[in-house]
Amino acid sequence: MRILIDTNVLISAALSANGVPFQAYIKATSYPNHGLICEQNVDEMKRIFNKKFPQRLESLNKFLSIALLTLELVPIPIDENLSESQIRDVNDRPILRAAINAKADILLTGDKDFLESGLKNPIIMTPAMFLNMK
């Protein structure tokens, strides 16, 4: 399966190797799955770490250097997708657009704007839901 990993899951995984988000990240990036991220995920991670976790920037850089070896960096198309209107937060819409364009099967997130959107393609899942999936 192709799984686009949202910023909030990546940040949680980068901050702690002990939690559910990190376990979901490992599953999403391990065969037979194929992990995806978009440039907006990387930019958001850097912005959030600079603001909230400046003392952890070295950890973020290490995480990204390893993550970018295993994750496919997918483009964000310029043209909007019709299903984007189901996402309340307009700042999240490019991530959905990237997931759709990359033919992601799953968008792995903890973001309520995605989780409450009612989208069916890609399937929106929390890290816990993803780990419990057979």
Side-chain angles (χ1 to χ4, degrees), residues 58-84:
E58 184 60 32
S59 296
L60 172 65
N61 291 332
K62 285 180 183 176
F63 178 82
L64 284 175
S65 66
I66 294 167
L68 292 173
L69 294 173
T70 57
L71 293 168
E72 179 184 345
L73 188 62
V74 298
I76 300 171
I78 295 169
D79 295 332
E80 292 184 12
N81 187 289
L82 281 176
S83 58
E84 285 182 47

mmCIF file of all heavy atoms in Angstrom, residues 58-84:
data_model
loop_
_atom_site.group_PDB
_atom_site.id
_atom_site.type_symbol
_atom_site.label_atom_id
_atom_site.label_comp_id
_atom_site.label_asym_id
_atom_site.label_seq_id
_atom_site.Cartn_x
_atom_site.Cartn_y
_atom_site.Cartn_z
ATOM 1 N N GLU A 58 18.453 19.281 16.067
ATOM 2 C CA GLU A 58 19.417 18.244 15.658
ATOM 3 C C GLU A 58 18.715 16.895 15.514
ATOM 4 O O GLU A 58 18.998 16.140 14.580
ATOM 5 C CB GLU A 58 20.578 18.158 16.655
ATOM 6 C CG GLU A 58 21.665 17.181 16.246
ATOM 7 C CD GLU A 58 22.321 17.536 14.908
ATOM 8 O OE1 GLU A 58 22.429 18.730 14.578
ATOM 9 O OE2 GLU A 58 22.723 16.594 14.191
ATOM 10 N N SER A 59 17.796 16.600 16.433
ATOM 11 C CA SER A 59 17.022 15.353 16.334
ATOM 12 C C SER A 59 16.184 15.339 15.063
ATOM 13 O O SER A 59 16.078 14.311 14.388
ATOM 14 C CB SER A 59 16.089 15.198 17.543
ATOM 15 O OG SER A 59 16.825 15.082 18.720
ATOM 16 N N LEU A 60 15.572 16.471 14.741
ATOM 17 C CA LEU A 60 14.776 16.559 13.520
ATOM 18 C C LEU A 60 15.650 16.321 12.294
ATOM 19 O O LEU A 60 15.278 15.558 11.394
ATOM 20 C CB LEU A 60 14.097 17.924 13.400
ATOM 21 C CG LEU A 60 13.386 18.169 12.061
ATOM 22 C CD1 LEU A 60 12.214 17.208 11.868
ATOM 23 C CD2 LEU A 60 12.935 19.606 11.952
ATOM 24 N N ASN A 61 16.813 16.956 12.258
ATOM 25 C CA ASN A 61 17.706 16.792 11.103
ATOM 26 C C ASN A 61 18.145 15.342 10.937
ATOM 27 O O ASN A 61 18.192 14.831 9.814
ATOM 28 C CB ASN A 61 18.909 17.721 11.217
ATOM 29 C CG ASN A 61 18.507 19.173 11.042
ATOM 30 O OD1 ASN A 61 17.528 19.476 10.360
ATOM 31 N ND2 ASN A 61 19.237 20.073 11.662
ATOM 32 N N LYS A 62 18.424 14.658 12.031
ATOM 33 C CA LYS A 62 18.789 13.238 11.963
ATOM 34 C C LYS A 62 17.610 12.405 11.467
ATOM 35 O O LYS A 62 17.768 11.538 10.620
ATOM 36 C CB LYS A 62 19.245 12.726 13.335
ATOM 37 C CG LYS A 62 20.617 13.181 13.730
ATOM 38 C CD LYS A 62 21.002 12.633 15.097
ATOM 39 C CE LYS A 62 22.342 13.156 15.529
ATOM 40 N NZ LYS A 62 22.702 12.714 16.878
ATOM 41 N N PHE A 63 16.433 12.677 12.024
ATOM 42 C CA PHE A 63 15.229 11.949 11.613
ATOM 43 C C PHE A 63 14.986 12.126 10.120
ATOM 44 O O PHE A 63 14.756 11.166 9.392
ATOM 45 C CB PHE A 63 14.019 12.428 12.418
ATOM 46 C CG PHE A 63 12.732 11.759 12.014
ATOM 47 C CD1 PHE A 63 12.397 10.504 12.506
ATOM 48 C CD2 PHE A 63 11.851 12.382 11.138
ATOM 49 C CE1 PHE A 63 11.209 9.876 12.134
ATOM 50 C CE2 PHE A 63 10.657 11.767 10.755
ATOM 51 C CZ PHE A 63 10.349 10.507 11.258
ATOM 52 N N LEU A 64 15.032 13.377 9.643
ATOM 53 C CA LEU A 64 14.770 13.646 8.227
ATOM 54 C C LEU A 64 15.822 13.025 7.318
ATOM 55 O O LEU A 64 15.492 12.526 6.243
ATOM 56 C CB LEU A 64 14.674 15.153 7.972
ATOM 57 C CG LEU A 64 13.386 15.826 8.409
ATOM 58 C CD1 LEU A 64 13.469 17.338 8.218
ATOM 59 C CD2 LEU A 64 12.186 15.261 7.662
ATOM 60 N N SER A 65 17.079 13.039 7.754
ATOM 61 C CA SER A 65 18.120 12.466 6.895
ATOM 62 C C SER A 65 17.902 10.971 6.691
ATOM 63 O O SER A 65 18.148 10.445 5.609
ATOM 64 C CB SER A 65 19.517 12.747 7.455
ATOM 65 O OG SER A 65 19.714 12.074 8.673
ATOM 66 N N ILE A 66 17.389 10.294 7.701
ATOM 67 C CA ILE A 66 17.089 8.863 7.573
ATOM 68 C C ILE A 66 15.749 8.668 6.861
ATOM 69 O O ILE A 66 15.626 7.840 5.962
ATOM 70 C CB ILE A 66 17.085 8.181 8.955
ATOM 71 C CG1 ILE A 66 18.498 8.209 9.544
ATOM 72 C CG2 ILE A 66 16.556 6.753 8.865
ATOM 73 C CD1 ILE A 66 18.578 7.863 10.996
ATOM 74 N N ALA A 67 14.751 9.447 7.244
ATOM 75 C CA ALA A 67 13.414 9.303 6.670
ATOM 76 C C ALA A 67 13.419 9.521 5.161
ATOM 77 O O ALA A 67 12.758 8.784 4.418
ATOM 78 C CB ALA A 67 12.443 10.276 7.341
ATOM 79 N N LEU A 68 14.169 10.508 4.714
ATOM 80 C CA LEU A 68 14.169 10.821 3.282
ATOM 81 C C LEU A 68 14.899 9.769 2.446
ATOM 82 O O LEU A 68 14.813 9.790 1.220
ATOM 83 C CB LEU A 68 14.722 12.228 3.044
ATOM 84 C CG LEU A 68 13.812 13.337 3.571
ATOM 85 C CD1 LEU A 68 14.481 14.703 3.460
ATOM 86 C CD2 LEU A 68 12.465 13.344 2.869
ATOM 87 N N LEU A 69 15.582 8.839 3.104
ATOM 88 C CA LEU A 69 16.178 7.701 2.389
ATOM 89 C C LEU A 69 15.129 6.638 2.085
ATOM 90 O O LEU A 69 15.272 5.877 1.130
ATOM 91 C CB LEU A 69 17.310 7.065 3.205
ATOM 92 C CG LEU A 69 18.550 7.907 3.440
ATOM 93 C CD1 LEU A 69 19.495 7.185 4.401
ATOM 94 C CD2 LEU A 69 19.244 8.226 2.126
ATOM 95 N N THR A 70 14.082 6.586 2.915
ATOM 96 C CA THR A 70 13.078 5.527 2.762
ATOM 97 C C THR A 70 11.734 6.031 2.247
ATOM 98 O O THR A 70 10.957 5.254 1.709
ATOM 99 C CB THR A 70 12.836 4.805 4.105
ATOM 100 O OG1 THR A 70 12.438 5.761 5.083
ATOM 101 C CG2 THR A 70 14.075 4.078 4.574
ATOM 102 N N LEU A 71 11.446 7.305 2.433
ATOM 103 C CA LEU A 71 10.170 7.870 1.984
ATOM 104 C C LEU A 71 10.300 8.448 0.576
ATOM 105 O O LEU A 71 11.337 8.997 0.219
ATOM 106 C CB LEU A 71 9.730 9.002 2.921
ATOM 107 C CG LEU A 71 9.364 8.613 4.348
ATOM 108 C CD1 LEU A 71 9.235 9.860 5.208
ATOM 109 C CD2 LEU A 71 8.089 7.813 4.371
ATOM 110 N N GLU A 72 9.230 8.329 -0.187
ATOM 111 C CA GLU A 72 9.190 8.969 -1.498
ATOM 112 C C GLU A 72 8.639 10.375 -1.326
ATOM 113 O O GLU A 72 7.557 10.562 -0.753
ATOM 114 C CB GLU A 72 8.299 8.170 -2.454
ATOM 115 C CG GLU A 72 8.184 8.785 -3.832
ATOM 116 C CD GLU A 72 7.233 8.045 -4.748
ATOM 117 O OE1 GLU A 72 6.851 6.899 -4.443
ATOM 118 O OE2 GLU A 72 6.854 8.634 -5.777
ATOM 119 N N LEU A 73 9.375 11.356 -1.793
ATOM 120 C CA LEU A 73 8.944 12.748 -1.745
ATOM 121 C C LEU A 73 8.097 13.008 -2.988
ATOM 122 O O LEU A 73 8.598 12.940 -4.107
ATOM 123 C CB LEU A 73 10.153 13.680 -1.699
ATOM 124 C CG LEU A 73 9.900 15.148 -1.462
ATOM 125 C CD1 LEU A 73 9.243 15.389 -0.108
ATOM 126 C CD2 LEU A 73 11.205 15.922 -1.537
ATOM 127 N N VAL A 74 6.791 13.252 -2.782
ATOM 128 C CA VAL A 74 5.872 13.403 -3.911
ATOM 129 C C VAL A 74 5.523 14.876 -4.117
ATOM 130 O O VAL A 74 5.465 15.644 -3.154
ATOM 131 C CB VAL A 74 4.589 12.549 -3.722
ATOM 132 C CG1 VAL A 74 4.940 11.071 -3.653
ATOM 133 C CG2 VAL A 74 3.805 12.965 -2.492
ATOM 134 N N PRO A 75 5.272 15.263 -5.365
ATOM 135 C CA PRO A 75 4.943 16.665 -5.644
ATOM 136 C C PRO A 75 3.516 17.013 -5.246
ATOM 137 O O PRO A 75 2.663 16.136 -5.111
ATOM 138 C CB PRO A 75 5.116 16.770 -7.166
ATOM 139 C CG PRO A 75 4.854 15.386 -7.662
ATOM 140 C CD PRO A 75 5.345 14.452 -6.577
ATOM 141 N N ILE A 76 3.288 18.300 -5.085
ATOM 142 C CA ILE A 76 1.942 18.819 -4.828
ATOM 143 C C ILE A 76 1.482 19.483 -6.126
ATOM 144 O O ILE A 76 2.049 20.500 -6.536
ATOM 145 C CB ILE A 76 1.937 19.847 -3.682
ATOM 146 C CG1 ILE A 76 2.435 19.212 -2.388
ATOM 147 C CG2 ILE A 76 0.543 20.434 -3.502
ATOM 148 C CD1 ILE A 76 2.664 20.199 -1.266
ATOM 149 N N PRO A 77 0.470 18.917 -6.764
ATOM 150 C CA PRO A 77 -0.032 19.542 -7.998
ATOM 151 C C PRO A 77 -0.596 20.937 -7.733
ATOM 152 O O PRO A 77 -1.099 21.217 -6.646
ATOM 153 C CB PRO A 77 -1.152 18.602 -8.451
ATOM 154 C CG PRO A 77 -0.934 17.333 -7.720
ATOM 155 C CD PRO A 77 -0.256 17.694 -6.442
ATOM 156 N N ILE A 78 -0.510 21.788 -8.721
ATOM 157 C CA ILE A 78 -1.028 23.150 -8.597
ATOM 158 C C ILE A 78 -2.548 23.154 -8.682
ATOM 159 O O ILE A 78 -3.219 23.862 -7.934
ATOM 160 C CB ILE A 78 -0.426 24.058 -9.686
ATOM 161 C CG1 ILE A 78 1.084 24.177 -9.461
ATOM 162 C CG2 ILE A 78 -1.078 25.430 -9.695
ATOM 163 C CD1 ILE A 78 1.837 24.821 -10.602
ATOM 164 N N ASP A 79 -3.088 22.358 -9.592
ATOM 165 C CA ASP A 79 -4.533 22.330 -9.799
ATOM 166 C C ASP A 79 -5.242 21.652 -8.636
ATOM 167 O O ASP A 79 -4.859 20.551 -8.222
ATOM 168 C CB ASP A 79 -4.883 21.607 -11.104
ATOM 169 C CG ASP A 79 -4.374 22.352 -12.326
ATOM 170 O OD1 ASP A 79 -4.252 23.597 -12.256
ATOM 171 O OD2 ASP A 79 -4.082 21.695 -13.346
ATOM 172 N N GLU A 80 -6.275 22.308 -8.133
ATOM 173 C CA GLU A 80 -7.037 21.770 -7.007
ATOM 174 C C GLU A 80 -7.854 20.552 -7.432
ATOM 175 O O GLU A 80 -8.210 20.397 -8.593
ATOM 176 C CB GLU A 80 -7.961 22.846 -6.433
ATOM 177 C CG GLU A 80 -7.199 23.967 -5.766
ATOM 178 C CD GLU A 80 -8.101 24.985 -5.100
ATOM 179 O OE1 GLU A 80 -9.308 24.736 -4.954
ATOM 180 O OE2 GLU A 80 -7.576 26.036 -4.716
ATOM 181 N N ASN A 81 -8.138 19.710 -6.447
ATOM 182 C CA ASN A 81 -8.950 18.521 -6.651
ATOM 183 C C ASN A 81 -10.335 18.795 -6.057
ATOM 184 O O ASN A 81 -10.445 19.456 -5.024
ATOM 185 C CB ASN A 81 -8.273 17.333 -5.952
ATOM 186 C CG ASN A 81 -8.941 16.025 -6.238
ATOM 187 O OD1 ASN A 81 -10.043 15.771 -5.762
ATOM 188 N ND2 ASN A 81 -8.270 15.188 -7.011
ATOM 189 N N LEU A 82 -11.384 18.266 -6.674
ATOM 190 C CA LEU A 82 -12.753 18.508 -6.193
ATOM 191 C C LEU A 82 -12.963 18.094 -4.743
ATOM 192 O O LEU A 82 -13.663 18.762 -3.990
ATOM 193 C CB LEU A 82 -13.757 17.761 -7.074
ATOM 194 C CG LEU A 82 -14.091 18.422 -8.407
ATOM 195 C CD1 LEU A 82 -15.013 17.530 -9.224
ATOM 196 C CD2 LEU A 82 -14.724 19.783 -8.191
ATOM 197 N N SER A 83 -12.344 16.984 -4.328
ATOM 198 C CA SER A 83 -12.564 16.481 -2.966
ATOM 199 C C SER A 83 -11.928 17.368 -1.893
ATOM 200 O O SER A 83 -12.216 17.216 -0.712
ATOM 201 C CB SER A 83 -12.077 15.045 -2.835
ATOM 202 O OG SER A 83 -10.719 14.951 -3.167
ATOM 203 N N GLU A 84 -11.091 18.306 -2.300
ATOM 204 C CA GLU A 84 -10.452 19.200 -1.328
ATOM 205 C C GLU A 84 -11.455 20.015 -0.533
ATOM 206 O O GLU A 84 -11.178 20.404 0.601
ATOM 207 C CB GLU A 84 -9.508 20.178 -2.039
ATOM 208 C CG GLU A 84 -8.232 19.561 -2.493
ATOM 209 C CD GLU A 84 -7.319 20.583 -3.142
ATOM 210 O OE1 GLU A 84 -7.144 21.681 -2.568
ATOM 211 O OE2 GLU A 84 -6.797 20.285 -4.217
#
